[in-house]
Amino acid sequence: ILVQIEQVNGAKFNTYVDVPGMAHSKTIDVAMSDLTISDDSPDKTAKLDLVQVKQILLLDLSGITAGNDEDMTLWVGTVTFK
């Protein structure tokens, strides 16, 4: 899963997390230090500022990379930032 945080100024930060299939529950921790500036970010020198977050994207790339055209569901529970 691609995790992307976009700020109001358009800066984007990404990281990837592994999510098990087959309806397994898993707690996933994403450290803010794991997020790196995205290739399509307009400002390559931007710093992550959680006060400026516009949106958080969770993108399942398996359909694109593996050619998987099945319906998939990602259940998201509590989201916290530390």
Side-chain angles (χ1 to χ4, degrees):
I1 300 289
L2 169 70
V3 177
Q4 182 178 80
I5 294 179
E6 182 178 354
Q7 297 184 158
V8 292
N9 65 359
K12 299 175 186 175
F13 302 86
N14 298 335
T15 192
Y16 295 93
V17 295
D18 185 35
V19 177
M22 307 305 291
H24 294 281
S25 176
K26 180 178 180 182
T27 298
I28 299 171
D29 295 315
V30 177
M32 295 298 103
S33 60
D34 289 345
L35 291 155
T36 57
I37 195 80
S38 176
D39 290 339
D40 65 341
S41 186
D43 181 0
K44 302 294 189 228
T45 62
K47 303 294 181 203
L48 180 58
D49 179 358
L50 293 180
V51 174
Q52 300 299 319
V53 171
K54 174 182 173 182
Q55 66 181 349
I56 301 168
L57 300 175
L58 303 174
L59 303 171
D60 181 0
L61 302 175
S62 65
I64 297 168
T65 59
N68 189 345
D69 63 355
E70 298 175 13
D71 288 340
M72 296 189 200
T73 302
L74 175 66
W75 295 92
V76 178
T78 304
V79 177
T80 58
F81 292 95
K82 298 178 182 181

